[in-house]
Amino acid sequence: MIFSRKRAEGARHARDERDAGVLDTEETPQPPARGPYDVSEAPDAPRLDLGSLQIPAVPEVEVRVQADPQGVIQQVVLVHGQNALQLGVFAAPRSEGIWDEVREEIRQSLFNDGAAAQEVQGEYGTELRARVRTPDGITDLRFVGIDGPRWMVRGVYQGEAATNPVAAGPLAACLDGLVVDRGQEAKPVREPLPLRLPREVAEQQAGQEGAPQQREA
């Protein structure tokens, strides 16, 4: 299933939002310079609501999701040209972030599979870059992690954006404008936060699956 965001109206680059924030008065609480934002501090902007994740509307970016018949999403991938960004969001403890531990586990898993991974410094701190062998050939990956209040967002870039962050362009803008709705219920650390299709999309999908098949005379 694909949600396209190919119109420019209403879409703003997160870095432009950062610049606009200087116009607020000192009495107004300032949101973070950029996202991913917690839902409690996110600026207003058009977004696709997938439950725990809200994806900003960025021109020319397609939101591709894999969901089960109940509308529960197993995978979210943003695509722009030849580049892709796979997103995941996980529960984290209140007291500390978990990206450092998760990153080391990813590095060790890659090593066990015969792929070397290198830590590099990026806009969000320490990232992990690796080159892996897939059925389609050698693929470059770039893992990004952002710790938030009781959550962690993990992004995996593929394509040129995996080796050249500048090429991420609109995908980076999506990450900058991402909103996380963690909810208040207790969850085990690292458990994926629930993602669901928008209600109208889920209802449309259910209607199509439940529609009786017409028989040819």
Side-chain angles (χ1 to χ4, degrees):
M1 185 171 295
I2 299 174
F3 303 96
S4 295
R5 289 290 181 268
K6 298 201 174 186
R7 60 186 186 279
E9 57 269 24
R12 295 183 303 171
H13 196 290
R15 291 181 175 83
D16 294 335
E17 293 177 2
R18 205 182 319 164
D19 296 337
V22 300
L23 300 177
D24 294 338
T25 63
E26 291 183 359
E27 291 78 12
T28 303
Q30 294 284 342
R34 65 177 175 186
Y37 302 97
D38 189 76
V39 68
S40 64
E41 55 193 10
D44 291 334
R47 300 184 182 94
L48 177 66
D49 189 348
L50 300 180
S52 296
L53 282 182
Q54 298 175 19
I55 312 294
V58 174
E60 303 299 330
V61 172
E62 293 179 346
V63 183
R64 300 180 180 178
V65 302
Q66 292 182 0
D68 65 18
Q70 287 70 47
V72 178
I73 295 174
Q74 277 83 44
Q75 182 172 268
V76 179
V77 180
L78 312 185
V79 178
H80 179 260
Q82 300 300 311
N83 293 311
L85 172 61
Q86 182 178 350
L87 293 173
V89 60
F90 306 88
R94 188 185 302 273
S95 57
E96 60 184 355
I98 60 174
W99 171 235
D100 287 347
E101 294 181 5
V102 170
R103 186 179 67 252
E104 175 57 25
E105 290 177 1
I106 294 172
R107 188 196 66 77
Q108 186 62 48
S109 176
L110 290 168
F111 177 80
N112 292 339
D113 290 337
Q118 177 184 11
E119 291 190 344
V120 298
Q121 289 301 307
E123 286 191 278
Y124 286 104
T126 306
E127 302 176 353
L128 200 62
R129 295 186 185 181
R131 177 167 289 183
V132 300
R133 188 179 302 277
T134 71
D136 297 325
I138 300 299
T139 299
D140 289 304
L141 301 175
R142 176 162 61 97
F143 298 83
V144 179
I146 305 99
D147 288 310
R150 300 177 66 208
W151 51 259
M152 184 200 75
V153 168
R154 185 194 64 204
V156 185
Y157 283 103
Q158 299 181 50
E160 185 183 354
T163 56
N164 178 15
V166 175
L171 296 180
C174 286
L175 189 59
D176 281 352
L178 200 68
V179 173
V180 178
D181 188 349
R182 162 66 171 77
Q184 298 303 314
E185 64 275 13
K187 291 183 178 298
V189 173
R190 305 192 192 187
E191 178 177 292
L193 298 182
L195 299 172
R196 297 193 64 86
L197 295 174
R199 177 176 298 178
E200 61 275 14
V201 177
E203 291 175 349
Q204 180 182 11
Q205 185 183 44
Q208 291 174 348
E209 293 177 353
Q213 302 251 342
Q214 291 188 355
R215 298 176 61 185
E216 295 183 2

